[in-house]
Amino acid sequence: MDKKLKNKNNFFWVYTFILLVFLGIFFFQSSFSGVKRINQEVFFEMLSKGEVQKVLIRHRESASVWVKKEFLKKSTEENNNSYLSGKNLPLANVAQYEFEIGDLQLFQQKFQEHKQLYQLDAVIDFKNEQEYSIGKFFAEYGLFFLLLIVFWVFIFRRIGAGGGPGGQIFNIGKSRAKLFDENDNVKTTFQDVAGLEGAKEEVQEIVEFLRSPDKYTKLGGKIPKGALLVGPPGTGKTLLARAVAGEAKVPFFSLSGSDFVEMFVGVGASRVRDLFKQAKDKSPSIIFIDEIDAIGRARGKNNITGANDERENTLNQLLTEMDGFGTNTNVIVMAATNRSDILDKALLRPGRFDRTIFVDLPELNERKEIFRVHLQKLTLAKKVDIDFLARQTPGFSGADIANVCNESALIAARKDKTEIEHQDFLDAIDRIIGGLEKKNKIIKPNEKKRIAYHEAGHATVSWLIEHAAPLIKVTIVPRGRSLGAAWYLPEERQLTTFEQMLDEICALLGGRAAEQVIFGNVSTGALNDLERVTKQAQSMVAIFGLNKRIGNISYYDSTGQSEYAFNKPYSENTARIIDEEISKIIEEQYQRACQLLRDNNIKLIELASKLLEKEVIFGEDLEKIFGKRAFADEVGDILKVLNPPLEKEHS
């Protein structure tokens, strides 16, 4: 604190000195220049008395006046002179007065008249070069330059504020990493990280490398230099890094990839050098770079930027520091990104990032652990079932689950409850996935009827086919941007077969098929369904190799850097075949859905009528109409419970 205060005081005295210098120059010039401004009447009065020796015209605008020596001495003794106003005059080798001449022609004419009338020897001269003394220059422009200097000093201090004490411009190339060491109270530990057992195990091993390196090096092994955390947003990559900072007991430098980016050339590379210098000075240590794709993108992919691009210079310096000539092995670099496919290959090679740790979306048991961590801080009712909540949230990330818990607390508080009940969690998931319920939205009766049959069509088809996800809830209450929705409990599987994908397409087309069967026409309400169906069919044909005519060929580019970025990687004939097969798959499943609904027309009408009456129906209502599903599923009695939305179909 004393050091920072001292730096601030030093800058205060520097600014004070600069201000005093400019003020001194200004007052010096004002006090000792001796040039007094007069008007033309005073000048011609002096001229008529024969006191003027010479007049110099500058740029046809102003005039400088020289007084004769005898009158100059006399005027210095007369303090009450009418036109000198008591001012002491300087020597005669410089002008004593100046004034504006106005119209040059009229001034010359009047000057000549006075000269002839009074028989004067005064002369008039012209000069086109502006004469400035240092004092006069600073008197006229000093304040402007003073403000300009103060402004730039302020800007440079702001730019360099993160570079070190006082924020000097010389610190702009300093690293902006935040240092955590044993003196910092970082409370996050590995116990706070739930559901990431595989990733946590690898990260814990990195901490052990630094705590007891001899355990690993005595057998001839080398400590890894870097670990890259890769995974979708919200899966806990940064949380893992915070846990490392809390557990490592070694200096931990944390910063973002964007902290290297600056408007000045060379600053990024300078900050990389300074970061690794600090880390080596405090080794063993850990550097964590979040969102490393900000500086680690593959080089040479953008034709607009050349080899001297600032981001590439920063990346080059990072590559050198991680595995260069003088690399210190006691510094481990951790980084996190959502887009490992766009990173430079040189950055990912062994010797730099030796380990790539995948942080995937949590599975069922992992979601249970995450719920337990977040529910510890909440006031819960006794009937809250964590296992049930975990079953209802497939595809949720750790951040999504944290949001569900927080939203349930807000909903319970809004209802003036003292505890968070099971229904509050269900409403929270409804709110997060489907959006806010709009019960007051005005919908015409004929539109509401069409929406009811559309959603009933989804429910009917998904109940009757084998591989469709079990239905949980159907509603025609507008929520978010949808007029109605059907929620399912999708099966968590690692592989999907051809038959399963066809059944999913058929279930998605059930809504539009119901409109065709009941009303004889279709509406625009199936937009979301058609979008998902088209993507599903495209992936079957062009990506997964599930079409006989195309064969075992995939046109998928996992790197995202295909040379066919603007061209299709297949011929026009193949493109035509792909279009035909996509259309064929969708049309066959649409006709299949229509046939299923015609065969169960009476039950479809009964289900739609109940939906119009109640606005919300559940799996047990479908079981009363259609009977038990003919296909075994893993959900069991879960369909008989009030379940939250998981995967929805928009009407």
Side-chain angles (χ1 to χ4, degrees), residues 435-495:
L436 185 65
E437 198 173 59
K438 300 178 181 178
K439 293 184 177 180
N440 297 326
K441 190 169 186 177
I442 300 176
I443 301 177
K444 296 178 181 180
N446 61 329
E447 290 181 344
K448 190 172 184 180
K449 183 178 180 181
R450 183 179 287 271
I451 295 170
Y453 274 99
H454 183 103
E455 301 303 336
H458 282 306
T460 300
V461 174
S462 64
W463 193 268
L464 296 174
I465 59 180
E466 179 178 0
H467 298 294
L471 182 111
I472 292 176
K473 182 171 74 171
V474 184
T475 177
I476 58 173
V477 177
R479 184 184 288 274
R481 298 178 61 183
S482 63
L483 300 176
W487 285 278
Y488 303 91
L489 185 65
E491 179 186 356
E492 294 186 59
R493 52 180 179 239
Q494 304 300 321
L495 298 173

Side-chain angles (χ1 to χ4, degrees), residues 110-145:
K110 190 174 181 180
F111 181 86
Q112 294 298 331
E113 290 176 355
H114 275 69
K115 188 174 179 180
Q116 292 177 3
L117 179 63
Y118 296 105
Q119 299 296 316
L120 304 175
D121 58 354
V123 296
I124 187 169
D125 195 4
F126 295 87
K127 192 168 186 178
N128 292 325
E129 294 181 1
Q130 188 74 16
E131 293 182 346
Y132 275 113
S133 64
I134 295 177
K136 184 175 181 181
F137 176 81
F138 281 109
E140 294 186 5
Y141 300 103
L143 182 60
F144 168 76
F145 281 102

Side-chain angles (χ1 to χ4, degrees), residues 450 510-523 590-591 594 597-598:
R450 183 179 287 271
R512 168 162 282 208
E515 293 184 42
Q516 180 65 43
V517 170
I518 299 298
F519 302 103
N521 54 39
V522 294
S523 69
Y590 178 69
Q591 296 300 331
C594 289
L597 294 175
R598 292 191 190 98

Side-chain angles (χ1 to χ4, degrees), residues 537-552:
Q538 285 175 342
S539 65
M540 293 174 65
V541 176
I543 296 178
F544 296 116
L546 298 178
N547 183 264
K548 292 182 180 180
R549 289 186 65 187
I550 297 298
N552 300 320

Side-chain angles (χ1 to χ4, degrees), residues 544-573:
F544 296 116
L546 298 178
N547 183 264
K548 292 182 180 180
R549 289 186 65 187
I550 297 298
N552 300 320
I553 298 176
S554 175
Y555 298 105
Y556 176 66
D557 179 21
S558 60
T559 65
Q561 301 171 3
S562 174
E563 61 185 34
Y564 302 102
F566 301 99
N567 301 302
K568 294 180 180 179
Y570 39 76
S571 65
E572 290 297 327
N573 183 55

Side-chain angles (χ1 to χ4, degrees), residues 393-449:
T393 50
F396 277 44
S397 67
D400 294 329
I401 293 175
N403 194 22
V404 168
C405 295
N406 182 67
E407 191 67 31
S408 64
L410 299 179
I411 291 174
R414 195 178 301 128
K415 298 178 181 178
D416 298 323
K417 295 181 180 181
T418 58
E419 295 178 329
I420 305 175
E421 299 176 352
H422 186 77
Q423 184 61 41
D424 297 323
F425 285 96
L426 307 183
D427 295 339
I429 302 177
D430 280 354
R431 172 71 177 85
I432 291 171
I433 295 183
L436 185 65
E437 198 173 59
K438 300 178 181 178
K439 293 184 177 180
N440 297 326
K441 190 169 186 177
I442 300 176
I443 301 177
K444 296 178 181 180
N446 61 329
E447 290 181 344
K448 190 172 184 180
K449 183 178 180 181

Side-chain angles (χ1 to χ4, degrees), residues 344-413:
D344 195 276
K345 293 181 180 179
L347 191 64
L348 299 177
R349 73 159 175 83
R352 292 195 174 108
F353 284 111
D354 303 275
R355 296 189 173 189
T356 300
I357 303 173
F358 293 98
V359 186
D360 294 324
L361 293 171
E363 297 181 352
L364 178 61
N365 292 329
E366 294 175 331
R367 291 198 299 273
K368 291 179 185 178
E369 295 180 13
I370 296 173
F371 265 111
R372 289 192 182 98
V373 170
H374 291 294
L375 294 179
Q376 289 177 358
K377 302 177 183 179
L378 304 180
T379 304
L380 302 177
K382 295 182 180 179
K383 295 183 179 180
V384 175
D385 187 354
I386 296 179
D387 292 343
F388 179 81
L389 294 176
R391 293 291 298 269
Q392 308 311 298
T393 50
F396 277 44
S397 67
D400 294 329
I401 293 175
N403 194 22
V404 168
C405 295
N406 182 67
E407 191 67 31
S408 64
L410 299 179
I411 291 174

